[in-house]
Structures are given as structure tokens and as C-alpha cells.
Amino acid sequence: MTLSPARVPTTGVRRLTRTLYGYAFLEDFVLLYPVYALLFRDTGLSVWQISSLFALWSITGVVLEVPSGAWADAVSRRLLLWLGPLLTAAGFTLWTLLPSYGAFALGFVLWGSGGALVSGAREALVYDELERLGAADRYAQVMGRVRAAGLVAVMAAMGLAGPVLAWGGHTAVGTASVLVCLLAAATATRLPEHRAPGAEGNDGWTATLKAGLAEARADRSVRGALLLVPAVTAVWGALDEYTPLLVRDTGVSDALVPYLLLLIWAGATAGGLLAGAGERLGAKGLAALLAGTALALAMGAGVGSPAGIALVALAFGGFQAASVLADVRLQRSIDDARRATLTSLAGLGTDLATVAVYGGYAVLGTAAGHGTAFASFAVPYLVTALLLAAPPRGRAARG
């Protein structure tokens, strides 16, 4: 039986999304995530040494973020999507077999490099494939589910890491993490990619990078979309690291902290799943979403009670949906030939803004407490909402 032409795009979308969701789950289903700090401590590293490892990890991502996106545009997005997990697997192998400061440092460089290769390439591949199939309007729904799959994987890893660690120690946790990364790489090879690398006449990744930066300078709509991604993503992405401290400050016992954290993660997961419903939101609709979630964050964090964590979870769900929608606006505004390059440029902006949030939180959290710090970081979202809701002439004048 021959498929009718109307069914062919549906079949292609189904193949793409099933593989993509599996890849997203495996990419984050890493048992080392919740316990690698314990591995460092048990190896004898000092707090200063551990902090320097985190800094090295961040620097690696910042340095390679944009060049890797240009490479994806010039060569192959799928190539980078399977190469990234292989580099991460190599880093985790070093941690498992040769636990030491040097091995941890090299492992973080490999992990940061792998993450940089994937960033930008995945979004570009998905959008181009959906556009080829005539389903670009489903991008927000698909990427929302991708993020939800990753969050479910993180929660599953949090639940399994403890029993595996108790059973086989750090060796068992590290081995399982390596195997999952290898499975992710194998899954990436099954992703479709019909775009011919270099078909647009690029001379290489450096030429692609220059062309992408030139497009960002010349097109105001592209610049606005590039700035919107870090404005929406960076703050709540950084605040996520401090949620255990916020929960503990509500007065609950340490035994209850993981359950309230799961509530926050569940809120973010729901936001990803619901992102597709908001794809038709215009600038004012997105502004309203940001303003509402900002108020929920401020109220929930300011209450200082376990009940307020439900509002924080609601806010994280709204921010997750808004992050997907900001990515949609970016993908629709940029040229196919430089899609990964400019997506990575937005990722670089997010990384730098996240570092700034860490610094600001250190000051606010120390001086006023975690609840006040969380509530204070609702302000940038309110400012972004006001700028989005402003009339076009007002936005042009501010630009």
C-alpha cells in the first residue's frame, strides 16, 4: 500500500520527533549529575579546586559556543549532535577511571565542548527539518516537549543515582553515565538531515561565522530576537541552581526538600509541554506571560512558606514556555544558512547573562536572604515585558 502525499509529511515528522525525544531524554539521563560533587569531595578536592572546575567548565562553553554553531552550519548539524555526547562520554570515562584534579579538569573541558557542539545545532536541525516537511508551525510544540523530556530525565536520574551509588559506588554511577552518553550519540545518528552542508556557497565555518554576525548587525529584527533569548532564559536558568536553598529557607526539614524541588521541576516540565499552545502569541501576549510569571515568582518567593513554592513552580513553568517561544521568534527571523550560528550566538548571550545573575545573586542572597533575592530577580522580567508591550515606534526609539 502506497502512502498518500498527505501522509508523507506526517510520517516524517513522527520519525523526527520520536528520535529527537529519545535523544533529549538520554542526553540528560546522566546519573553523575546529582552526585558528581560528592565524587570530587571524596577524591579530596578542596572547595577552591571544585570552584575552579566549574569556572573551567563555563569558560569552555563560552569560548566554543559561537564557533561550534558556525561549524554546524558549514558542515553538518547531525555530525555535531552525535559528536557532542561522545566527547562528554570521554570526559566521564576519565572521571571514572582516573579520579583526580587533572582528570576532572580535562573531563570538564570535554563536557563543555560537547555541550557547545550540541547547542544551536539541535535547534537548527529541528527547525529546518520541520520547515522542509511543511510543519514549521509545530516547532514550539516539539521543542517544548524536548525540554520536558530532558527535565523528566533529570528527575529520573535524581531518583536512581542514590540506589546505584549505594550499590556500586562512583564507578557504577560513572559507568552508567558513559553508557547513556554512548546511547545518545547512537540515537543522534538516526536523526534526519536533508540539508546539504555548504550548499549556500560558504567557504568554511569562518565565513559562516562572519556572515552570521553581519546579519545580526544589519537586521534589527534579528538583533531583537537574539537579545530576547537571554533576557527570557538566563535569569530563571541561574535561579534554578539556588532553589534548594530557597526551599530550605521556608522552614521545611531536609527530608522534604527533594519533594518540593520535584514540584518545581514538574512545573517547568508542564511549561515545556504547554509551549505549543502559546506559539501564536504576539509580542503583547508574550509580554503578558512574562509579567504574570514574574509576579508569581515574586509572590511565591516572598511568602517564605512551603505554600509559596507552588507559585515558584508555576513561575518556572511560565518561564520554560516563554523560553521556547523566544527561541521560536529567533528561528523565524534568521536565515537557514546561518541558523546554528545565530542560535549559538543567542546561547552565548545566555551564558554571559547567567554568569552576571550568579554575581548579582551572591550579593542579594548574602545581604537579604534567598526569598528576597528570588523576588528581586522578577524585576528584569517585568522590564522585558514592558519593552515587548511597548508600541513599535517606542521599541524602535529605545533600540
Side-chain angles (χ1 to χ4, degrees), residues 131 142 146 188 195 262 329 366:
E131 190 174 47
V142 170
V146 164
R195 169 185 171 273
L262 284 176
R329 292 167 69 91
T366 302

Side-chain angles (χ1 to χ4, degrees), residues 145-164:
R145 291 176 177 177
V146 164
R147 298 192 184 204
L151 291 174
V152 170
V154 170
M155 290 188 286
M158 291 172 63
L160 288 175
V164 174

Side-chain angles (χ1 to χ4, degrees), residues 83-95 110-111 174 177-182:
L83 183 58
L86 288 183
L87 291 179
T88 303
F92 291 162
T93 300
L94 286 174
W95 289 9
L110 291 169
W111 189 3
S177 300
V178 171
L179 291 176
V180 167
C181 290
L182 295 177

Side-chain angles (χ1 to χ4, degrees), residues 139-335:
Y139 178 78
Q141 179 188 70
V142 170
M143 292 308 296
R145 291 176 177 177
V146 164
R147 298 192 184 204
L151 291 174
V152 170
V154 170
M155 290 188 286
M158 291 172 63
L160 288 175
V164 174
L165 183 64
W167 171 71
H170 293 300
T171 300
V173 172
T175 301
S177 300
V178 171
L179 291 176
V180 167
C181 290
L182 295 177
L183 285 174
T187 302
T189 63
R190 305 295 300 169
L191 287 168
E193 183 179 27
H194 293 82
R195 169 185 171 273
E200 293 80 8
N202 293 326
D203 296 324
W205 75 269
T206 53
T208 304
L209 176 58
K210 292 177 181 178
L213 295 176
E215 182 179 348
R217 287 194 300 268
D219 193 325
R220 177 179 294 169
S221 66
V222 173
R223 288 201 306 274
L226 284 171
L227 291 172
L228 182 62
V229 171
V232 172
T233 306
V235 174
W236 81 275
L239 291 180
D240 173 64
E241 302 294 336
Y242 301 99
T243 50
L245 302 176
L246 176 69
V247 171
R248 176 182 280 178
D249 270 9
T250 62
V252 300
S253 65
D254 286 351
L256 290 178
V257 169
Y259 296 103
L260 290 177
L261 290 177
L262 284 176
L263 177 62
I264 295 176
W265 282 98
T269 303
L273 293 174
L274 295 173
E279 189 166 5
R280 292 180 177 84
L281 287 177
K284 290 186 178 180
L286 182 56
L289 175 62
L290 287 175
T293 50
L295 292 175
L297 176 66
M299 293 174 60
V303 167
S305 69
I309 300 301
L311 284 176
V312 175
L314 178 64
F316 271 46
F319 292 140
Q320 178 74 280
S323 297
V324 175
L325 297 177
D327 180 39
V328 171
R329 292 167 69 91
L330 175 64
Q331 300 304 327
R332 288 178 175 173
S333 68
I334 56 183
D335 184 83

Side-chain angles (χ1 to χ4, degrees), residues 60-75 80 116-117 119 205-206 208-209 340-341 344-345 348:
T60 301
V62 168
V63 170
L64 297 179
E65 180 77 41
V66 176
S68 67
W71 189 28
D73 282 332
V75 184
L80 271 64
L117 292 182
S119 176
W205 75 269
T206 53
T208 304
L209 176 58
T341 303
S344 291
L345 185 60
L348 174 61

Side-chain angles (χ1 to χ4, degrees), residues 19-84:
T19 308
L20 183 65
Y21 299 154
Y23 177 79
F25 182 88
L26 291 170
E27 191 180 24
D28 283 323
F29 186 56
V30 177
L31 301 190
L32 269 171
Y33 284 175
V35 299
Y36 62 72
L38 302 180
L39 172 61
F40 300 159
R41 187 190 63 188
D42 293 344
T43 306
L45 269 61
S46 65
V47 174
W48 181 90
Q49 288 175 312
I50 294 174
S51 299
S52 68
L53 291 175
F54 291 154
L56 179 62
W57 187 21
S58 299
I59 291 170
T60 301
V62 168
V63 170
L64 297 179
E65 180 77 41
V66 176
S68 67
W71 189 28
D73 282 332
V75 184
S76 165
R77 282 85 181 259
R78 182 172 57 191
L79 169 66
L80 271 64
L81 289 178
W82 64 257
L83 183 58

